[in-house]
Amino acid sequence: MPVWFADLNPVLQALLAGLFTWSVTALGAASVFFGRKFNQKLLDWMLGFAGGVMMAASYWSLLAPSIEIAENRDMAPWWPAAAGLIAGVFTLWALDKVLPHLHPGMPTDQTEGPESTWHRSVLLVTAITLHNIPEGLAVGVAFGGVISGVPSASLAAAVALALGIGLQNFPEGIAVAMPLRGEGMSRGKAFWFGQLSAIVEPVAAVLGAAAVTYAAPMLPYALSFAAGAMIFVVVEELIPESQQAGNVDLATVAFVVGFTVMMILDVALG
């Protein structure tokens, strides 16, 4: 990686990484400028791939460093990982219940959360934004975690995580923007809403990096918290969404491919 990037403050590194992951979502949303529809099988493959990437990142980029940091601090190695994981799952579950949102591909009458008069586009953006908060947080705590000095929390591993999150953000932009375009929304508006769903990632990345940089004792908990939140998103959203059109085998194979790619990225670079 460039020397200038390695010399930056972890918070600034996290900001740049968050901007990168947001830009890939915007790139996916830009598909609306080339048509009204996207091949469903290809989209389901990409969503399955995204789920595999997130699941692998949850362990190799987040849980494994959390355990290693706890061991180095003479703590019970399982405690921060378990506590943070449960807290991350519960937090996303709670947000899922209190915020109205609509998963891509679902009819408006299947809006989740409290009853709402929000427009369909806002509901779709809210759903993906909920998804993107833990991704941005994960990127941020990974860069902040470099201060721990443990091998599994290296700068290369944080970059690998950002690359992995970026890879799986492309279909998210498509999944929001393309249905809106198909319903008659202008290309510009559909693109706007598609990229808007990921604008929270740079913000969450900066907050995550700042928190663990200036409050080092919370680092192993923050890492596992982000892992729990991402695992919740994969199981509650990405896997069902990738299979709702009936492409179960295709999405499952894609999940395994995504998991393998992220594992290789993290182990090879980290």
Side-chain angles (χ1 to χ4, degrees), residues 77-177:
W78 55 269
W79 169 244
L85 182 80
I86 293 170
V89 168
F90 178 78
T91 300
L92 262 290
W93 174 83
L95 289 174
D96 203 54
K97 297 300 180 186
V98 302
L99 285 178
H101 60 283
L102 179 67
H103 295 300
M106 303 301 289
T108 306
D109 61 4
Q110 293 192 28
T111 298
E112 297 182 12
E115 290 188 13
S116 172
T117 58
W118 292 357
H119 192 273
R120 178 179 174 84
S121 58
V122 178
L123 292 168
L124 285 169
V125 170
T126 303
I128 303 299
T129 300
L130 282 173
H131 181 155
N132 286 330
I133 290 173
E135 294 175 13
L137 180 63
V139 169
V141 297
F143 278 98
V146 177
I147 63 172
S148 70
V150 303
S152 58
S154 66
L155 180 59
V159 170
L161 175 62
L163 289 174
I165 296 295
L167 280 175
Q168 63 88 45
N169 271 2
F170 186 78
E172 290 180 7
I174 298 171
V176 175

Side-chain angles (χ1 to χ4, degrees), residues 29-41:
S31 61
V32 296
F33 292 108
F34 304 98
R36 284 178 174 266
K37 293 183 178 180
F38 196 84
N39 184 280
Q40 187 62 49
K41 285 188 175 181

Side-chain angles (χ1 to χ4, degrees), residues 215-228:
M218 70 180 292
L219 176 57
Y221 298 95
L223 287 164
S224 55
F225 179 94

Side-chain angles (χ1 to χ4, degrees), residues 60-74:
W60 272 278
S61 300
L62 299 169
L63 286 174
S66 173
I67 293 168
E68 187 175 357
I69 291 168
E71 289 176 337
N72 288 354
R73 293 179 179 177
D74 294 325

Side-chain angles (χ1 to χ4, degrees), residues 5 11 36 42 45 63 111 113 137 141 165 178 181 183 245-247 260 265 267-268:
F5 184 82
V11 176
R36 284 178 174 266
L42 179 56
W45 193 95
L63 286 174
T111 298
L137 180 63
V141 297
I165 296 295
M178 197 58 76
R181 175 60 181 154
E183 293 170 5
N247 298 313
T260 304
L265 271 177
V267 174

